[in-house]
């Protein structure tokens, strides 16, 4: 179950098969009457007996397919299988900090890798700035474009493309690259590309300090200029770290 800042809910049932689907559908009117704040209800089918939280098949049982997450004037449309930061209030603080640091840099071009539903990309959009978000999930890209349209922005100002963040050709080096990788970090290929690139600034949002440290060691041409720890997972050992990296020496021409 996911709750939006407006109090609306997304409810997902993860089942081994569709055998109980008819029962879920039968009682759906009762559920929505009892909980009017329910906006999206889905059934996810995960048939394998192993430690996997969800399967590849998602059946949306309501007309609405996304949950609006309104943060500081930006509406992100969260789909059933889309990534979203665990703690909404801290996520808003994370995006505010990223926006503040980016506005100080005043980049004209920004590339947001692992953009998801557009959290960083839409918060960093500004007049005279071109933002490109890259995400491997087509559904997430569609949701991000919907958020862009809600803001009245054009595809020329903010565009979202389906692609692999670790190998996407960004073209001429942008003024700022934003990365928000999974716990495994950037990996050798993407960290190596950034190290060899002419990108002057990188904004790195990490949920795993160990892989952040590994990636920073692979990018010695960048110096951490600023960093902020955000307690995304209270009362646990996990946290989110936002780090602004500044290039301190020319790009290397060889791997």
């Amino acid at each position: 179950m996911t709750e939006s800042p407006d109090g609306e809910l997304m409810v997902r049932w993860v089942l081994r098969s569709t055998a109980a689907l008819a029962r879920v559908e039968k009682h759906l009117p009762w559920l929505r009457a009892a909980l009017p704040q329910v906006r999206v209800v889905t059934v996810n089918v995960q048939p394998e007996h192993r430690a996997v939280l969800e399967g590849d098949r998602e059946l949306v049982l309501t007309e609405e397919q996304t949950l609006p997450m309104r943060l500081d004037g930006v509406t992100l449309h969260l789909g059933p299988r889309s990534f979203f930061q665990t703690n909404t209030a801290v996520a808003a603080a994370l995006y505010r900090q990223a926006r503040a640091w980016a506005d100080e840099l005043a980049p004209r071009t920004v590339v947001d890798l692992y953009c998801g539903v557009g959290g960083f990309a839409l918060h960093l959009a500004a007049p005279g700035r071109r933002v490109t978000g890259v995400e491997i999930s087509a559904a997430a890209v569609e949701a991000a474009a919907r958020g862009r349209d809600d803001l009245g922005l054009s595809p020329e100002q903010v565009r979202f493309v389906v692609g692999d963040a670790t190998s996407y050709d960004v073209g001429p080096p942008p003024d700022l690259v934003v990365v928000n990788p999974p716990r495994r970090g950037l990996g050798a290929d993407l960290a190596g590309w950034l190290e060899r690139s002419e990108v002057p600034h990188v904004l790195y949002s990490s949920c795993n300090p160990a892989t952040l440290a590994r990636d920073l060691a692979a990018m010695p041409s960048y110096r951490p200029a600023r960093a902020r720890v955000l307690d995304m997972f209270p009362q646990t050992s996990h946290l989110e770290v936002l780090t602004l990296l500044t290039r301190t020496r020319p790009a290397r021409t060889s791997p």
Side-chain angles (χ1 to χ4, degrees):
M1 183 180 296
T2 303
E3 182 179 20
S4 78
D6 295 331
E8 294 183 311
L9 299 175
M10 177 189 296
V11 179
R12 301 176 68 206
W13 302 89
V14 181
L15 307 177
R16 286 293 186 200
S17 72
T18 58
L21 179 60
R23 281 189 291 160
V24 175
E25 292 177 319
K26 175 184 176 181
H27 293 291
L28 184 56
W30 171 86
L31 175 65
R32 303 199 72 179
L35 293 173
Q37 63 269 43
V38 171
R39 180 184 177 96
V40 182
V41 177
T42 77
V43 165
N44 179 274
V45 183
Q46 204 296 82
E48 300 183 56
H49 186 67
R50 60 191 181 98
V52 177
L53 292 179
E54 61 182 20
D56 295 330
R57 189 180 179 191
E58 192 90 28
L59 305 173
V60 181
L61 307 183
T62 50
E63 182 178 354
E64 295 290 342
Q65 301 198 13
T66 60
L67 182 67
M69 307 291 284
R70 297 179 177 89
L71 306 176
D72 297 335
V74 175
T75 299
L76 305 176
H77 293 276
L78 181 63
R81 301 183 65 202
S82 298
F83 168 80
F84 194 78
Q85 297 288 355
T86 301
N87 188 316
T88 305
V90 179
L94 173 69
Y95 295 137
R96 283 195 298 270
Q97 185 65 83
R99 174 190 281 164
W101 287 349
D103 286 348
E104 288 182 14
L105 295 173
R108 295 184 61 84
T109 54
V110 177
V111 171
D112 178 9
L113 302 176
Y114 305 98
C115 73
V117 295
F120 284 104
L122 294 176
H123 281 85
L124 268 56
R129 184 179 299 165
R130 298 196 313 277
V131 181
T132 300
V134 181
E135 169 60 47
I136 200 166
S137 167
V141 166
E142 183 179 348
R146 183 177 175 185
R148 174 198 64 208
D149 297 343
D150 286 348
L151 289 171
L153 300 171
S154 69
E156 287 71 32
Q157 294 171 288
V158 181
R159 72 185 185 106
F160 294 100
V161 297
V162 178
D164 185 345
T166 64
S167 59
Y168 183 77
D169 182 5
V170 303
D175 298 326
L176 174 66
V177 167
V178 180
V179 289
N180 182 27
R183 287 186 59 79
R184 65 178 178 271
L186 300 179
D189 290 343
L190 183 51
W193 173 80
L194 286 167
E195 171 64 18
R196 298 188 299 273
S197 76
E198 297 177 0
V199 175
H201 301 285
V202 176
L203 196 56
Y204 192 142
S205 181
S206 169
C207 62
N208 187 345
T211 54
L212 170 63
R214 182 203 65 198
D215 290 338
L216 295 186
M219 299 186 292
S221 296
Y222 288 96
R223 175 181 60 86
R226 291 182 174 180
R228 181 179 177 185
V229 173
L230 298 106
D231 193 7
M232 188 70 71
F233 315 94
Q235 301 179 27
T236 77
S237 60
H238 301 286
L239 47 84
E240 191 85 11
V241 182
L242 185 66
T243 306
L244 176 63
L245 306 173
T246 299
R247 180 171 287 280
T248 59
R249 60 193 191 197
R252 294 188 299 158
T253 57
S254 58

